[in-house]
Structure formats: structure tokens, C-alpha cells
Amino acid sequence: MIFFYRFFAALALLVFSVLYIGLIVSVIIGISGSVLRTIGLTQIEIIFPPDISLPAYLSIPIMFVFTTILLIISKYVKQIIRFLLLPF
């Protein structure tokens, strides 16, 4: 029975590790993209679903809200990873 638990824990550990790395990379890309957009790079656009374009001066505050949410989620994913490492 412990074999099955370790097997599924290893699979879940792989999935949550990739999720954690993806969240951290998304935070880095989001902050750097919003700073570049505020500086004046016109190729980066932030568009909300019904084709509403966000003004450049609001890029950093809005992105900090989203990145804060992503960091909170990544904190809980890290706790799940620690829990999955217990049987090993």
C-alpha cells in the first residue's frame, strides 16, 4: 500500500513542481513586461477580454495585483510540495 502512495506522491510532486516553477516564471515575466510597457515599449499590450486596452501608466499597479495573487498561490503550492516530500 505504501508503494502506491509513494508512486502517486511522486507523480503529484512532478506536477506541482512544474506548476510552482511556472508560477514563479510568470511573476518574473509579468513584472518585467509591465515595466517595459510603462517605459514605452509599444509591442507589449495588456488587453482585457472585451477588447479593452489598459493604459500604459496602469500597467505596473495592475500587474502587481496579479503577481501578488500568483505569489500567494505559489506559496500554497510550495506547502503541498513539502507535504508530498514527507514519505521520501
Side-chain angles (χ1 to χ4, degrees):
M1 190 56 119
I2 193 75
F3 171 75
F4 290 115
Y5 179 74
R6 285 186 177 177
F7 175 72
F8 289 119
L11 290 177
L13 187 64
L14 178 67
V15 170
F16 282 111
S17 298
V18 170
L19 176 64
Y20 182 73
I21 291 169
L23 286 170
I24 298 300
V25 169
S26 297
V27 166
I28 293 169
I29 290 173
I31 291 174
S32 62
S34 66
V35 168
L36 287 174
R37 184 168 189 261
T38 303
I39 290 173
L41 195 64
T42 59
Q43 287 84 7
I44 299 174
E45 292 185 32
I46 299 177
I47 300 174
F48 289 109
D51 295 330
I52 299 171
S53 183
L54 189 71
Y57 64 88
L58 287 178
S59 295
I60 292 177
I62 297 294
M63 193 54 69
F64 274 126
V65 169
F66 285 119
T67 56
T68 303
I69 293 169
L70 290 178
L71 286 174
I72 291 170
I73 293 170
S74 68
K75 180 181 114 176
Y76 290 115
V77 170
K78 188 175 182 180
Q79 288 178 354
I80 292 171
I81 290 172
R82 279 195 216 139
F83 177 74
L84 290 172
L85 286 174
L86 287 178
F88 299 107

